[in-house]
Amino acid sequence: MIQPLHACLILSSLLFCIGLAGVLARHNTILMLIGVELMLNAANVNFIAFWRYGAWAGQSAGVMFAIFSIAVAAAEIAVGLALVILIFRHVRTTSIDRVDGMKG
Amino acid sequence: MSISFIIISMIILLGAAAAVSFSNLIHCALSLAVAMVGLAMLYLHLGAEFVGFTQVLVYVGAVSIVVLFAILLTRPAPFSPGVHVPWHGRVTGILVAGLVAGMLVGAVLGTPLTSHVGQRVITVKQIGMELMTTYAAPLEIVGLLLTAALMGAVILAAPENGEKKP
Amino acid sequence: MNELFSEWVRRAVETLSEMLRNPDQAPVVGKAFIVSVFPEFLQGVVGAFISIAALISVFGGLFALLTLMERKGLGRIQNRPGPNRVGPFGILQPVADGLKMLTKEDIVPFRADAFLHFIAPVILVMMSLLTLAVIPYGRNMAPIELDSALLFFFAAGACTELAVFLAGWASRNKYSLLGAMRAIAQMISYELPLLLASFSAVLLVGSLSLVSIVDSQGGFMLGVLPKWNVLTPWGFVGFIIFMIGAFAESNRSPFDLPEAESELIAGHLTEYSGFKYALFFMAEYIGMLAISGLAVTLFLGGWHAPVPFLGWVPSYCWFFAKLLTLACFFIWVRATLPRLRADQLMALAWKCLIPLSFINLGVTVFWHYSAAWSFAMALPARWGIAFLALAVPYTFLARQLGTKKTFARRTYRFAE
């Protein structure tokens, strides 16, 4: 029987890898941002899991970290999507393959 | 590991997998919202009530909506040539992700960790006190970061002066 | 078996007499009795089910009553009788409406996303009902006592935005999509003043739990004036900002731009018919009741009686009396005010309400720290300073809103 902490960690690893697969395999910028969000949330799962099942009682660092991480992720997606919209206005596409105009 | 944990994990993983694999972008964003609701359920299941509700408020109420707006604002023109994605790119991505998954799961299973059982709760009051004392500096920095991100996003996405409307 | 039954009857009679002796706690006692009949492992589930059933039946009834009240009230205000054919004085009109909705054909547009088209009203009603779960309806009568109840309320409310988007997008209709986009822009903009206004109450009580916010408003000042938040300067301004936000959140007139029938047919509801349309209708009314309930809880003293000598009236009666008063206010406003223009709507939220609610938060802090003042004219001085701190910025903000704008000539483009 798997321990609850291990179960949470496996869940977060799988979530991370789904996000990674999304970033690597899809060529749409918005989808890549979604993948990044999933990876960030996998990290959050770890914070909460270690807070809940970790051995250090009476410490709230895990929850605090998750809250700050959510705030930073919100900032990240706002700026990221603004960039996507800006790029779209110039090249009329959101595909990552078409935005290679500065390739050396 | 209880039944509820398995159900919640299924919701999260299926939602996340759907979010990166649908071809319709709107469906992807909605699946992302499903995955986020699942994560909020997981946090509630683990006893982090405040984080769970914050997750729903931020991710379902704000982030998914912003993603949906971005998708609707960046629709390609009709009859534009479809993006041709080479199949080997896709396969390589999935292979790499699978390898990483295998390594991570192996590492987790190979690590002897003991789970603390028994209830652990954190009240809103505790979180507030911590934010105002131990984490006061990070809180200020996050506030600055969010303000900067808000202004940056507005300046980036706002149409430039004199730019013709499409 | 016989003994068990007689024991059960004895306890039932006891519970009933207890309920009659103390009507204030009757629902709590009754629920505890019904739960105690079931075996141990089922009690939690049964308790939850009783709460859910009570909530759905009470608010379903209120929904029916409100549709009738709205049609009657609108009729009276517009100098016509309103519905008066079904039953005496038309009081069975909600039944007729319900039957009509149930028997209508359910049309799904050919190009629509059938699954999302179906799931949108379900999510909307579900989330509206969820918001009801944390409101304290009477003494010891909050269905769930959460530590972060206010956050739960707004989190569940945030999900309704997604449901509105789903409805608009899945219909594959330009009016639906435009209506949904308008609705989301409006709801996101007005969520900020709503949250900021309610945070002033949270700031003073020091808790996100609605039960403790209501508890803090018990008692009377000088023996007559109830200690409701609305009777303080920050509470009064907060209540007004909250109500404006509440009108916008529930997409009610004068903020009903998302379903402005003269421009958008019916917004995100355009492609819905039959029972799905009825669900949207129900979600709108329940959302309106829920946010009024939150306003009652945060600013109007929750289930506390307004005057000391009426304290014997059961607490939930006061809650629902206040709730229905606010609902009547919603109807009155709907019949009175014209619809805003889209740019006025955004200017009101971002240029007036949000700065004002930030100032209001500052005034709340001042009110908290000046509570220790003990010189002779302390109370008038506090009121005066708070009034000035709110009234001066308000005049400037309101003046800047009213500037005469000139609009460029509109050019229309038609499809060739």
Side-chain angles (χ1 to χ4, degrees):
Chain A
M1 194 64 202
I2 305 176
Q3 289 195 18
L5 180 56
H6 281 113
C8 283
L9 293 184
I10 290 172
L11 169 65
S12 88
S13 314
L14 292 178
L15 188 61
F16 181 86
C17 291
I18 291 174
L20 187 66
V23 172
L24 291 178
R26 300 297 298 253
H27 289 247
N28 188 307
T29 351
I30 295 177
L31 268 173
M32 293 174 76
L33 277 173
I34 290 181
V36 172
E37 280 304 306
L38 290 175
M39 287 152 81
L40 273 168
N41 275 286
N44 274 359
V45 172
N46 273 8
F47 285 132
I48 299 289
F50 275 110
W51 166 76
R52 172 67 181 79
Y53 295 119
W56 311 279
Q59 290 201 352
S60 54
V63 169
M64 290 299 155
F65 241 102
I67 291 171
F68 284 121
S69 160
I70 289 175
V72 172
E76 174 252 319
I77 196 102
V79 176
L81 289 173
L83 282 172
V84 170
I85 291 172
L86 194 67
I87 292 170
F88 177 80
R89 215 178 281 147
H90 285 291
V91 295
R92 314 300 303 168
T93 179
T94 51
S95 167
I96 199 80
D97 297 335
R98 303 289 180 81
V99 198
D100 53 1
M102 282 174 77
K103 197 154 69 179
Chain B
M1 215 166 51
S2 54
I3 303 272
S4 49
F5 181 82
I6 294 169
I7 295 173
I8 291 170
S9 331
M10 292 312 282
I11 294 176
I12 296 173
L13 292 178
L14 288 180
V20 294
S21 52
F22 273 131
S23 60
N24 189 332
L25 282 180
I26 300 271
H27 289 167
C28 293
L30 296 174
S31 317
L32 177 74
V34 172
M36 293 306 162
V37 170
L39 280 166
M41 283 154 73
L42 178 70
Y43 298 156
L44 290 179
H45 176 75
L46 294 180
E49 192 182 284
F50 189 84
V51 184
F53 295 148
T54 313
Q55 175 91 7
V56 175
L57 194 62
V58 172
Y59 276 103
V60 181
V63 168
S64 327
I65 301 276
V66 174
V67 171
L68 286 169
F69 265 75
I71 291 169
L72 289 183
L73 284 174
T74 58
R75 269 193 298 193
F79 310 120
S80 67
V83 183
H84 175 70
V85 181
W87 64 270
H88 52 84
R90 229 166 240 202
V91 171
T92 323
I94 292 167
L95 265 181
V96 169
L99 276 176
V100 174
M103 275 159 61
L104 281 176
V105 171
V108 166
L109 286 179
T111 316
L113 287 164
T114 45
S115 298
H116 159 94
V117 277
Q119 212 56 37
R120 201 171 266 182
V121 284
I122 185 161
T123 61
V124 179
K125 200 152 207 153
Q126 265 172 294
I127 293 178
M129 294 310 271
E130 294 264 343
L131 278 179
M132 285 294 133
T133 54
T134 323
Y135 298 93
L139 184 69
E140 297 293 323
I141 295 168
V142 160
L144 273 178
L145 174 75
L146 283 175
T147 317
L150 178 71
M151 294 198 303
V154 169
I155 290 170
L156 280 179
E160 288 155 40
N161 276 344
E163 190 180 324
K164 267 191 189 166
K165 275 185 187 167
Chain C
M1 195 64 221
N2 215 357
E3 281 164 28
L4 249 170
F5 184 71
S6 63
E7 164 72 12
W8 186 82
V9 168
R10 193 183 58 76
R11 272 176 49 210
V13 171
E14 233 170 45
T15 310
L16 212 60
S17 67
E18 172 66 25
M19 282 165 80
L20 286 176
R21 203 167 50 240
N22 185 5
D24 185 40
Q25 291 300 302
V28 182
V29 175
K31 184 186 160 189
F33 169 70
I34 298 175
V35 167
S36 72
V37 172
F38 287 89
E40 193 88 33
F41 66 98
L42 274 177
Q43 287 190 350
V45 180
V46 171
F49 264 106
I50 293 171
S51 296
I52 293 169
L55 272 187
I56 289 184
S57 52
V58 167
F59 277 88
L62 274 180
F63 163 57
L65 177 70
L66 211 59
T67 53
L68 180 69
M69 259 165 60
E70 173 139 40
R71 296 181 64 174
K72 278 288 200 190
L74 283 184
R76 278 292 154 206
I77 292 170
Q78 292 159 0
N79 206 2
R80 58 186 171 83
N84 60 356
R85 293 292 161 202
V86 194
F89 305 107
I91 55 167
L92 292 180
Q93 187 66 38
V95 181
D97 282 348
L99 285 177
K100 186 189 85 174
M101 289 291 189
L102 271 175
T103 50
K104 271 197 169 181
E105 186 189 352
D106 174 32
I107 300 166
V108 181
F110 175 62
R111 295 289 303 280
D113 195 317
F115 176 69
L116 295 182
H117 190 266
F118 164 76
I119 206 84
V122 178
I123 296 179
L124 194 61
V125 170
M126 206 168 81
M127 291 303 159
S128 310
L129 285 173
L130 266 184
T131 55
L132 296 174
V134 287
I135 295 173
Y137 297 99
R139 196 173 282 129
N140 308 326
M141 264 187 269
I144 316 172
E145 285 186 30
L146 280 180
D147 192 31
S148 44
L150 196 66
L151 198 63
F152 173 87
F153 189 96
F154 284 115
C159 294
T160 58
E161 285 160 22
L162 205 63
V164 168
F165 176 84
L166 275 184
W169 187 78
S171 301
R172 248 345 133 93
N173 178 323
K174 51 181 173 292
Y175 296 112
S176 298
L177 192 58
L178 279 173
M181 295 307 248
R182 273 194 188 182
I184 291 171
Q186 171 180 332
M187 282 157 98
I188 286 188
S189 306
Y190 279 84
E191 201 156 62
L192 289 173
L194 205 67
L195 274 163
L196 288 171
S198 41
F199 281 167
S200 48
V202 173
L203 209 58
L204 271 200
V205 180
S207 167
L208 281 172
S209 153
L210 293 177
V211 175
S212 45
I213 288 177
V214 172
D215 284 342
S216 76
Q217 299 179 59
F220 296 90
M221 285 180 287
L222 314 168
V224 277
L225 220 53
K227 269 199 213 160
W228 298 354
N229 284 337
V230 75
L231 298 176
T232 56
W234 61 268
F236 184 67
V237 174
F239 178 64
I240 292 174
I241 296 174
F242 189 92
M243 283 316 283
I244 295 174
F247 277 102
E249 280 292 296
S250 49
N251 290 340
R252 295 274 304 183
S253 182
F255 300 104
D256 57 348
L257 284 102
E259 30 199 277
E261 57 271 28
S262 48
E263 329 165 11
L264 286 179
I265 310 188
H268 57 275
L269 309 176
T270 306
E271 295 289 2
Y272 280 93
S273 59
F275 196 63
K276 288 182 196 158
Y277 182 78
L279 284 182
F280 273 107
F281 210 58
M282 184 170 150
E284 182 190 323
Y285 277 82
I286 287 185
M288 183 178 120
L289 284 171
I291 208 143
S292 308
L294 191 65
V296 168
T297 307
L298 289 175
F299 297 105
L300 296 180
W303 41 263
H304 287 295
V307 276
F309 60 85
L310 282 177
W312 53 269
V313 177
S315 51
Y316 45 89
C317 292
W318 286 119
F319 181 88
F320 283 104
K322 290 172 190 174
L323 188 66
L324 281 179
T325 315
L326 278 189
C328 290
F329 181 63
F330 268 85
I331 294 168
W332 182 26
V333 167
R334 176 179 171 179
T336 314
L337 293 180
R339 183 182 300 140
L340 268 78
R341 222 168 43 213
D343 62 314
Q344 290 173 332
L345 178 95
M346 288 297 155
L348 178 65
W350 289 98
K351 294 187 183 164
C352 181
L353 291 182
I354 291 177
L356 205 60
S357 38
F358 272 119
I359 295 166
N360 195 35
L361 274 182
V363 171
T364 316
V365 174
F366 161 74
W367 193 260
H368 177 66
Y369 282 109
S370 65
W373 290 3
S374 53
F375 51 86
M377 296 293 280
L379 195 64
R382 286 169 78 196
W383 267 90
I385 294 173
F387 177 78
L388 277 183
L390 285 166
V392 174
Y394 168 73
T395 26
F396 283 110
L397 289 170
R399 181 167 300 164
Q400 153 263 320
L401 267 188
T403 45
K404 288 271 174 289
K405 287 198 188 97
T406 49
F407 289 95
R409 233 183 104 94
R410 227 186 215 188
T411 48
Y412 294 95
R413 287 188 308 157
F414 301 101
E416 274 111 39

